[in-house]
Amino acid sequence: MSAEQQYAVELKNLSFQRGDREIFKNIDICIPRGKVTGIMGPSGCGKTTLLRLIGAQLRPSKGEVWVNGLNLPSLSRSELFDMRKQMGVLFQSGALFTDLDVFENVAFPLRVHTQLPDEMIRDIVLMKLQAVGLRGALELMPDELSGGMKRRVALARAIALDPQILMYDEPFVGQDPIAMGVLVRLIRLLSDALGITSIVVSHDLAETASIADYIYLVGDTKVLGQGTPDELMNSDDPRVRQFMQGIPDGPVPFHYPAAGYRDDLLGGR
Amino acid sequence: MQNRTLEIGVGLFLLAGLLALLLLALRVSGLTVGSSDTYKVYAHFENIAGLTVRARVTMAGVTIGKVTAIDLDRDTYTGRVTLLLDNSVDNLPADSTASILTAGLLGEKYIGISVGGDEEVLVDGSTIYDTQSSLVLEDLIGKFLLNSVNKDEAN
Amino acid sequence: MRKTSTLERIRLFGRAGIDAVATLGRATVFLVRALFGRSGAGNPLQLLIKQLYSIGVMSLAIIVVSGVFIGMVLSLQGFNILSDYGSEQAVGQMVALTLLRELGPVVTALLFAGRAGSALTAEIGNMKSTEQLSSLEMIGVDPLKYIVAPRLWAGFISMPLLAVIFSVVGIWGGAMVAIDWLGVYEGSFWANMQNSVSFREDVLNGVIKSIVFGFVVTWIAVFQGYDCEPTSEGISRATTKTVVYASLAVLGLDFILTALMFGDF
């Protein structure tokens, strides 16, 4: 019971494969409640897949995904939809509904899941937009917003229902330094002020290290390392060091596997 | 505001579709609503060749009904044709003649009714006895040939 | 370069077969889930009206214009041939029957696949690639119900209406050419048509055809969008597939339906 209190999300002995390719093999990850947890790794190692597994949009090939004491793979389709009300996700592209304006986008989860009167919905939406600093933009359409603003509106939408768990999919990709700074501050603020469990999936080292309480480093179907940012920075594990310090060649080779260079050049004759 | 135009547009679309269906029913296929204002009359023909269901029934060139069924009478070996006539024409004498006619040389077959002189009139379910069968081209040619042969022999 | 053995070819053929069956299965599950199951978020009527507008009303212009021209051409061509036999007055019946039985449902379905079907695929594919579908799912709204179902129903409803409108404007265009231009006597034009067209046999069978076509085209379009690879190439491939598959399905089904309805078996 205490473990359940301590961890909001637990992946136990989880494997996932897409076609013949193994993405994860027997990994264990525990996300502590009320903290910011970073999940880092090289591009294409399945970080986004991990988020989809936690959100139960994908079903693991093997293993368990526990969220708030429920094992997701065992739930029915409608139970899953209910469970997802406790989760918010900030997608990489923001994923705002293009045919609704900013206000309706943020109001959408409220309209769907609550019977609140219109004035109250309006108040809540204004509060959420105020929190991300975009209360003035409420009548704009998504294609009138910059990339950073889109992500902030999406963040306001993700927290509209006051979720317990908030997941960020590559929140820092393609952002200018100002927008990046705003997002970093918002993520930290939401976690500290509201006690939301945050999961940040990213490969941006500096930003993730600056806000995460705990970091998992995944890659090559496994968890390569875990710990606080400082612990990982000073890790002796060569794979962890290569990623944390950005060394071009190492355990993750610079060259795609190939036959000998010399043989290849001479072999053509 | 935007919703309103949307709804009006959809409303007009649905209306146009239903109106089109109605037009097809009434104007194009000549569907008449209800069958209470018609009555049924039977006619036996020796040969109905070429007459089809839904052919017109006319009198003096005016359409007054249509053929609704054609079947073989097992007892008399004649073709029994069921005619559905307009109730507005309820004064047809019982000895009227029904003949199968052709519109143009190769046109469709239809039934023409010519008036008799009887006091009694045709009512629902009655039968027209005086009929003229369809003109069959092969029979006609056959008769013509036979006639000319006979003439030759007489000479 | 590389030589594929016979066995390898047989394997690839088997693989293609398995893929085809799997896709068909996925499409069926997709359809059943979208049409049945627990109701989605939002006011379903409101969602339906919005889709009826973008699928039905927006396709109206192309349907009406094509219908008028096709009716006019039919009338011209029919008149030329029929006048050789001295039966010009039968042009009305020819135009009406051709439109009601065949061209109305088929051409409308082909135009519908090109206009509304491709748009549906692209729209849903785009929603998928911008993660709007995932986002809906994570908000706890089933995209099958919220996005897919209203579009399916709107397609099912729009297509027969469009086909009927197509036939009517086609007949009107044909009548215009025959009566006003070619000088067919108006009375015999309509009378001939009314005598030969049966509401149940011709009009209703045409409507049934268009309902079937609407169902198939919309299903293919929406499924291709939902099942596409969420990249720009994936979306454009899916859009092409929609038009090709939907057109082939319409033409193939048309033959089967015609044989069942008008053939003597």
Side-chain angles (χ1 to χ4, degrees), chain A residues 151-165:
Chain A
R151 245 171 253 197
R152 276 148 74 188
V153 173
L155 186 56
R157 185 181 65 185
I159 57 172
L161 284 171
D162 296 323
Q164 299 171 16
I165 302 168

Side-chain angles (χ1 to χ4, degrees), chain B residues 3 5-7 9-10 13-14 16-31 53-56 63 103 106 108, chain C residues 46 49-50 52-53 56-57 60 96 100 157-158 161-162 164-165 167-168 171 186 190 192-199 202-203 207:
Chain B
N3 250 347
T5 48
L6 219 76
E7 280 166 16
V10 172
F13 171 55
L14 295 180
L18 294 179
L19 196 73
L21 191 65
L22 203 71
L23 269 177
L24 286 187
L26 300 181
R27 181 100 176 121
V28 176
S29 69
L31 189 79
V53 172
R54 290 192 300 108
R56 279 181 301 156
T63 305
L106 297 167
E108 41 165 335
Chain C
Q46 208 68 41
I49 285 178
K50 206 167 163 188
L52 273 176
Y53 188 83
V57 179
L60 209 51
L100 289 172
I157 296 172
S158 298
L161 293 177
L162 289 172
V164 169
I165 292 173
S167 295
V168 166
I171 289 170
E186 188 172 356
W190 293 112
N192 249 311
M193 191 187 292
Q194 290 185 359
N195 282 330
S196 54
V197 175
S198 138
F199 183 71
D202 301 319
V203 179
V207 171

Side-chain angles (χ1 to χ4, degrees), chain B residues 36-47:
Chain B
S36 56
D37 51 355
T38 55
Y39 65 102
K40 236 185 226 171
V41 172
Y42 302 100
H44 292 259
F45 292 95
E46 269 174 27
N47 193 337

Side-chain angles (χ1 to χ4, degrees), chain A residues 225-238:
Chain A
Q226 53 177 298
T228 61
D230 285 341
E231 284 170 16
L232 281 183
M233 278 295 187
N234 302 320
S235 168
D236 295 332
D237 190 314

Side-chain angles (χ1 to χ4, degrees), chain A residues 42 238-256:
Chain A
R239 288 173 307 186
V240 176
R241 277 216 357 242
Q242 190 194 358
F243 184 82
M244 297 302 275
Q245 294 168 15
I247 306 166
D249 206 355
V252 177
F254 170 70
H255 290 290
Y256 192 82

Side-chain angles (χ1 to χ4, degrees), chain A residues 167-187:
Chain A
M167 298 189 269
Y168 303 86
D169 186 7
E170 299 282 8
F172 309 119
V173 168
Q175 300 287 312
D176 62 71
I178 304 174
M180 198 118 86
V182 169
L183 272 170
V184 167
R185 209 177 58 105
L186 276 174
I187 294 172

Side-chain angles (χ1 to χ4, degrees), chain A residues 3-269:
Chain A
E4 247 175 50
Q5 296 299 323
Q6 194 185 347
Y7 297 119
V9 177
E10 278 183 277
L11 309 182
K12 289 184 186 163
N13 201 19
L14 176 128
S15 298
F16 182 78
Q17 52 190 37
R18 182 171 282 150
D20 297 332
R21 197 175 141 229
E22 282 200 333
I23 313 248
F24 298 119
K25 196 172 177 187
N26 301 328
I27 59 167
D28 291 279
I29 289 181
C30 300
I31 311 281
R33 190 176 293 280
K35 298 271 174 56
V36 178
T37 305
I39 293 179
M40 308 193 62
S43 308
C45 74
K47 299 188 297 290
T48 303
T49 308
L50 198 66
L51 278 196
R52 288 182 189 258
L53 283 165
I54 298 173
Q57 291 185 305
L58 293 173
R59 207 170 257 275
S61 321
K62 194 161 73 69
E64 298 169 359
V65 182
W66 290 87
V67 174
N68 283 337
L70 294 170
N71 184 16
L72 299 188
S74 70
L75 295 184
S76 75
R77 200 173 154 82
S78 61
E79 282 171 320
L80 278 180
F81 278 112
D82 287 336
M83 185 279 305
R84 288 190 184 129
K85 290 175 204 168
Q86 306 165 5
M87 287 186 188
V89 180
L90 182 66
F91 286 95
Q92 196 166 343
S93 58
L96 294 178
F97 304 131
T98 37
D99 54 341
L100 301 177
D101 64 12
V102 167
F103 179 88
E104 285 302 325
N105 258 292
V106 180
F108 185 83
L110 296 165
R111 293 204 198 282
V112 172
H113 289 305
T114 67
Q115 312 292 324
L116 296 175
D118 273 355
E119 306 92 74
M120 203 181 265
I121 287 183
R122 191 183 142 78
D123 289 350
I124 296 175
V125 171
L126 288 181
M127 280 159 57
K128 302 296 179 191
L129 281 174
Q130 174 75 11
V132 298
L134 288 175
R135 189 166 46 85
L138 88 170
E139 277 175 0
L140 296 181
M141 295 304 282
D143 49 14
E144 297 172 291
L145 301 174
S146 71
M149 283 157 84
K150 270 184 202 162
R151 245 171 253 197
R152 276 148 74 188
V153 173
L155 186 56
R157 185 181 65 185
I159 57 172
L161 284 171
D162 296 323
Q164 299 171 16
I165 302 168
L166 203 46
M167 298 189 269
Y168 303 86
D169 186 7
E170 299 282 8
F172 309 119
V173 168
Q175 300 287 312
D176 62 71
I178 304 174
M180 198 118 86
V182 169
L183 272 170
V184 167
R185 209 177 58 105
L186 276 174
I187 294 172
R188 194 66 242 182
L189 197 74
L190 286 170
S191 176
D192 291 345
L194 305 172
I196 293 177
T197 306
S198 305
I199 306 172
V200 180
V201 161
S202 175
H203 55 241
D204 285 280
L205 194 61
E207 284 72 27
T208 314
S210 72
I211 50 168
D213 297 308
Y214 201 80
I215 289 179
Y216 280 90
L217 189 60
V218 292
D220 194 20
T221 76
K222 296 184 285 284
V223 174
L224 298 177
Q226 53 177 298
T228 61
D230 285 341
E231 284 170 16
L232 281 183
M233 278 295 187
N234 302 320
S235 168
D236 295 332
D237 190 314
R239 288 173 307 186
V240 176
R241 277 216 357 242
Q242 190 194 358
F243 184 82
M244 297 302 275
Q245 294 168 15
I247 306 166
D249 206 355
V252 177
F254 170 70
H255 290 290
Y256 192 82
Y261 191 31
R262 193 187 149 84
D263 294 345
D264 237 8
L265 285 178
L266 296 176
R269 305 268 162 90

Side-chain angles (χ1 to χ4, degrees), chain C residues 114-184:
Chain C
R115 170 67 183 78
S118 59
L120 276 177
T121 306
E123 186 192 17
I124 294 180
N126 197 39
M127 281 183 178
K128 187 174 182 181
S129 77
T130 55
E131 296 173 309
Q132 290 183 53
L133 295 183
S134 294
S135 172
L136 272 174
E137 240 173 49
M138 289 312 298
I139 288 174
V141 174
D142 191 345
L144 286 177
K145 282 280 149 201
Y146 184 76
I147 299 289
V148 170
R151 283 167 175 77
L152 282 173
W153 285 116
F156 299 167
I157 296 172
S158 298
M159 177 56 209
L161 293 177
L162 289 172
V164 169
I165 292 173
F166 182 94
S167 295
V168 166
V169 296
I171 289 170
W172 176 75
M176 209 169 61
V177 168
I179 295 167
D180 296 341
W181 187 6
L182 301 172
V184 174

